[in-house]
């Protein structure tokens, strides 16, 4: 439900894409945050969900927070 295992690819104009993953734990008895930080910029955000599904979301650059669901 928190998107653990999702892989986010943010395409940027004139630069290589940023890739982030939502992880479940960083170490022994720890819990990672399901929050992923990206720059405020325009462009497509492609999410590859753990179940194999792929969604694409167009960011306008004005968003402060985006909640994604498969």
């Amino acid at each position: 439900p928190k998107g653990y295992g999702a892989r986010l690819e943010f395409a940027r104009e004139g630069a290589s894409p940023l890739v982030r993953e939502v992880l479940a734990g960083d170490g022994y008895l720890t819990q990672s945050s399901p929050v992923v930080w990206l720059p405020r910029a325009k462009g497509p955000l492609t999410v590859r969900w753990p179940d194999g599904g792929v969604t694409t979301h167009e960011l306008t650059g004005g968003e402060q927070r985006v909640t994604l669901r498969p």
Side-chain angles (χ1 to χ4, degrees):
K2 295 196 185 276
Y4 294 127
R7 178 182 171 100
L8 292 84
E9 296 178 25
F10 182 60
R12 302 179 294 166
E13 248 184 71
S16 59
L18 290 175
V19 178
R20 302 286 187 265
E21 291 184 7
V22 182
L23 303 174
D26 289 328
Y28 180 70
L29 293 176
T30 63
Q31 186 67 36
S32 300
S33 171
V35 175
V36 175
W37 297 95
L38 295 169
R40 282 177 93 176
K42 294 180 183 180
L45 174 67
T46 302
V47 183
R48 297 181 192 288
W49 299 98
D51 66 359
V54 177
T55 58
T56 302
H57 311 271
E58 188 66 34
L59 301 183
T60 64
E63 300 89 347
Q64 290 189 6
R65 181 178 293 193
V66 177
T67 301
L68 303 174
R69 290 182 172 72

